[in-house]
Amino acid sequence: MTAPAKPRFAPGRASQTLVERSPLRTVGVAALWGIVALSIATLLWMVLQAFRDTRSILGDPWGLPTSADPTNFIHAWTSSSFGLATLNSVLATLVASAVTVGLAAPAAYYLGRIENRLTGFLSLYFILGLGIPVQVILIPLFVMLDRAQLTDSLLGLNLAYIGLAMPFNVFLLAAFFRSLPLELEEAAALDGANAFSTFVRITLPLARGGLVTAFILQVIGNWNETLLALTLLQSTEKYTLPVALISFLQQQTYSGADWGGLFAGLCLVVFPMLVVYLWLGRRLTEGLTMGMSK
Amino acid sequence: MTDILPRPEAPAEARPASPGQRPRAAAQGSTIERQRRRLLVPFVGPAFLFYTVLFVVPAVAAVWISLNAWTGSGPMTFVGLQNYTAVFQDPLYLKSFGNTLLILFVVGIVIFVLAFAMTLLLRDMAGRKIIRSVIFFPHLVNALVFGILAGFVFNPGGLVNTLLRPLGVTSPPAWLAQDNLFPLIMATLVATSTGYFTTILMAAVDRIPPYLFEDCALAGATAFQRLRHVILPLTWDVFGTCAVLWTISSIKIFEIIWVFGGSSGSGIPPTQSWTTAVYTYVTAFSGMSTPAYGAATASAIISLALVSVLVILLRRLMHREAIEF
């Protein structure tokens, strides 16, 4: 691992001079590509199995589907009520995420822009929620929503998601608003715009990127949320997708395995996330790592 | 997320100066400043209300419930700390607590070692963007999916065993036997969480200016010296943040345990693989026995205490003078 003998000081090649060649590194690089191949293969395998019937999956787990027969998907969508569950999931996901960002953005703006003792206290108040595990509020929240007749209701689930998401969103967006330049707002103020219209007409459009990121992160979180949904929802027609999947899995112990249907259900859970990721990948990774590397 | 704990001292310039010493230049901004301040209630109010009613009130109520014996309906009986002493005498809880600690520390350390190794490898490797995109994706997938897939990969006629058969393994271990589940769960957690932390660490390493690495090369530093004197000190704070993040998220692990390896008849996973989150849920909502809301909540509060202590310790331990670069 000595410095390379040949001088290579041409600009742009700097990073190459630093690449070390050692057997350990070769093994590591091979392992990384192996992991990549394995991950993609797993995803592909899951999709392919969703097109086969249970008997052939069990007979030969490595087999390929003989035709693009969507029976499993149709069956899962209709009779296993994954269709309704998907709809519920979409509702719980989009409504809660939109309301969350809508409520968190003005609060985050205020807390991010004005620094005094009160906002310091309020920021701390919101941030403390980040460290509270969801199981702490599970039972009191259930009791509370039950008394308000909001259990087994998508409205109740949405409310729970909104409350739970406040700390992270206020935290993320406050950091984001702080990173926006003040100059435009000051210019608007000089032009006679009041503080409210400055926020609506200047700051919000500037912050669109951050707001969309927060929204998408929330969509991902709510789409995958399981524990609260499992606790708050009781009737099949209210189930979100993860709860429907769990209930489908439990029925199998009585009605026999339906692996084809199960794989179709798994695809329904994973696919929207894959689409979002392929569409917004970079912004997502940046959003999820934002403020952490700072 | 470096701000999880209070950092009360904001830079003095950022604070509004007191009226007596306000510099003249700031006077212009004072109108909008004053107007902005009036927005406190309409701007912060709604978020405050939702958060307080749906999060803070339940969290405070949890402390109260944990001090009572309560089945959810009927009267509550105040029992003081009895729920806490009771859960610590419950072998099921001790097992769950042990498992949670195993995930927190063993899985956590393995994830961090792997993620850091991967970060170093990926730093100047061809195709790093592709690899990063692929290893990050599991973070977006519900852990249920991995639990269910594992059931298929490891079942007696599943992928692993059909692979082992040609290799001469005729009697493979019973992967999904109750005692083997938890190690498999831990392995699955490592496999599915490492990519996320690698992505965060990569972002931190990427912020190190390249000239520092060039200096290392010119000075003839070994890979280890470079790691010890450049990379580690400059990414130390991000390590701390990641550790806090892992502490908070690992304590909530529930769904992967709930479904791992398929479902048992009762729908409740075997007790050998419970975590404290599973313990809380089962104790309150399983429908198998009388719900014990007090004990269930006490178990959750203990988790919260564990998180708090660890986060404070981590902040102390990982705190270094920030290096500006």
Side-chain angles (χ1 to χ4, degrees):
Chain A
M1 260 174 280
T2 46
K6 247 197 284 176
R8 293 186 197 154
F9 293 118
R13 303 201 56 188
S15 68
Q16 278 186 342
T17 61
L18 301 167
V19 176
E20 284 131 49
R21 308 256 164 250
S22 71
L24 196 65
R25 193 184 160 84
T26 318
V27 171
V29 168
L32 271 178
W33 284 113
I35 291 169
V36 169
L38 194 68
S39 310
I40 296 175
T42 310
L43 193 64
L44 270 178
W45 180 76
M46 190 181 84
V47 177
L48 288 175
Q49 299 309 311
F51 287 98
R52 304 174 73 206
D53 61 81
T54 302
R55 187 182 303 202
S56 50
I57 295 177
L58 284 177
D60 174 16
W62 294 94
L64 295 175
T66 43
S67 63
D69 178 11
T71 316
N72 287 328
F73 285 95
I74 295 169
H75 186 75
W77 189 265
T78 52
S79 57
S80 310
S81 67
F82 281 148
L84 195 58
T86 307
L87 206 71
N88 289 339
S89 265
V90 169
L91 261 176
T93 299
L94 293 183
V95 174
S97 308
V99 176
T100 302
V101 176
L103 291 173
Y109 173 74
Y110 191 90
L111 298 180
R113 273 285 186 251
I114 294 181
E115 297 208 25
N116 56 36
R117 198 163 297 195
L118 179 65
T119 57
F121 168 77
L122 283 173
S123 301
L124 178 62
Y125 178 69
F126 276 104
I127 284 167
L128 276 181
L130 279 178
I132 299 181
V134 59
Q135 63 259 37
V136 170
I137 65 164
L138 190 68
I139 290 160
L141 194 63
F142 174 79
V143 172
M144 224 173 74
L145 289 175
D146 197 42
R147 295 211 171 139
Q149 311 222 309
L150 283 171
T151 46
D152 203 19
S153 113
L154 287 178
L155 177 63
L157 188 66
N158 271 305
L159 285 174
Y161 285 174
I162 294 166
L164 201 68
M166 257 335 136
F168 178 70
N169 280 274
V170 169
F171 171 75
L172 182 83
L173 289 174
F176 184 77
F177 282 124
R178 256 183 234 121
S179 74
L180 291 179
L182 260 175
E183 286 81 3
L184 277 172
E185 286 176 37
E186 280 163 1
L190 286 179
D191 287 344
N194 65 29
F196 181 73
S197 67
T198 310
F199 172 68
V200 173
R201 288 169 42 199
I202 308 289
T203 315
L204 277 189
L206 269 180
R208 208 173 50 201
L211 296 179
V212 171
T213 305
F215 176 75
I216 298 295
L217 291 180
Q218 215 43 57
V219 164
I220 292 167
N222 291 348
W223 181 262
N224 291 328
E225 203 289 326
T226 310
L227 182 55
L228 271 174
L230 191 65
T231 308
L232 295 178
L233 306 174
Q234 283 110 30
S235 47
T236 321
E237 68 271 13
K238 297 283 165 49
Y239 282 173
T240 56
L241 210 41
V243 186
L245 207 57
I246 290 177
S247 124
F248 185 78
L249 199 64
Q250 282 172 358
Q251 278 162 23
Q252 287 198 350
T253 45
Y254 304 108
S255 58
D258 177 6
W259 282 101
L262 195 58
F263 279 110
L266 292 183
C267 287
L268 285 178
V269 175
V270 176
F271 249 54
M273 295 298 101
L274 189 62
V275 171
V276 167
Y277 189 50
L278 292 176
W279 176 37
L280 295 164
R282 246 178 67 88
R283 174 181 273 174
L284 269 185
T285 29
E286 272 165 17
L288 275 174
T289 55
M290 182 165 95
M292 285 162 205
S293 52
K294 271 269 166 196
Chain B
M1 296 221 176
T2 27
D3 280 338
I4 279 170
L5 280 186
R7 197 185 290 157
E9 282 316 311
E13 313 83 70
R15 297 179 164 221
S18 61
Q21 26 172 243
R22 177 184 292 152
R24 247 167 295 146
Q28 278 180 334
S30 67
T31 330
I32 189 163
E33 197 75 357
R34 223 179 307 128
Q35 278 185 349
R36 264 210 207 119
R37 239 167 265 176
R38 227 174 286 146
L39 293 175
L40 174 66
V41 173
F43 271 34
V44 185
F48 182 86
L49 202 70
F50 268 78
Y51 173 59
T52 306
V53 172
L54 293 160
F55 200 134
V56 179
V57 168
V60 174
V63 177
W64 174 245
I65 292 175
S66 77
L67 299 175
N68 285 274
W70 192 30
T71 59
S73 54
M76 290 167 96
T77 330
F78 185 81
V79 293
L81 294 176
Q82 267 177 38
N83 285 323
Y84 291 89
T85 48
V87 290
F88 273 115
Q89 278 155 14
D90 181 356
L92 275 181
Y93 179 76
L94 292 178
K95 181 77 190 158
S96 313
F97 192 69
N99 283 344
T100 301
L101 290 181
L102 278 175
I103 290 179
L104 193 53
F105 291 108
V106 177
V107 176
I109 288 169
V110 174
I111 285 178
F112 274 69
V113 170
L114 284 179
F116 192 53
M118 280 162 79
T119 307
L120 293 182
L121 266 177
L122 280 166
R123 196 175 65 78
D124 43 22
M125 180 178 157
R128 68 197 295 265
K129 287 202 171 131
I130 301 172
I131 296 179
R132 181 171 60 179
S133 313
V134 173
I135 60 174
F136 180 78
F137 183 63
H139 182 67
L140 305 181
V141 175
N142 192 331
L144 272 180
V145 174
F146 306 122
I148 294 175
L149 280 181
F152 199 79
V153 171
F154 291 105
N155 80 17
L159 291 179
V160 170
N161 285 359
T162 48
L163 265 186
L164 288 176
R165 209 171 298 138
L167 299 176
V169 183
T170 45
S171 53
W175 304 106
L176 298 177
Q178 299 200 341
D179 286 324
N180 295 341
L181 273 186
F182 194 68
L184 267 188
I185 290 174
M186 288 173 50
T188 311
L189 285 173
V190 169
T192 54
S193 316
T194 305
Y196 174 56
F197 291 102
T198 309
T199 315
I200 299 178
L201 288 179
M202 276 174 84
V205 172
D206 283 350
R207 276 171 58 240
I208 300 175
Y211 67 80
L212 286 178
F213 292 112
E214 285 160 30
D215 284 353
C216 288
L218 287 175
T222 64
F224 178 75
Q225 285 171 327
R226 203 177 59 197
L227 181 69
R228 169 80 184 72
H229 296 289
V230 178
I231 300 179
L232 267 182
L234 294 184
T235 51
W236 191 249
D237 56 333
V238 182
F239 266 98
T241 312
C242 285
V244 170
L245 218 56
W246 169 252
T247 306
I248 292 173
S249 64
S250 66
I251 224 95
K252 302 184 213 171
I253 287 173
F254 171 82
E255 36 296 47
I256 189 167
I257 315 263
W258 196 250
V259 298
F260 200 87
S263 184
S264 56
S266 57
I268 295 174
T271 52
Q272 288 96 324
S273 59
W274 281 15
T275 56
T276 50
V278 174
Y279 181 89
T280 299
Y281 180 82
V282 174
T283 312
F285 301 113
S286 72
M288 306 286 286
S289 53
T290 327
Y293 281 17
T297 315
S299 137
I301 298 278
I302 296 168
S303 306
L304 172 61
L306 181 67
V307 171
S308 315
V309 169
L310 284 176
V311 169
I312 291 169
L313 274 182
L314 278 170
R315 303 279 307 181
R316 283 272 160 83
L317 213 71
M318 305 295 281
H319 185 73
R320 294 274 197 284
E321 214 46 51
I323 300 168
E324 295 295 332
F325 58 93

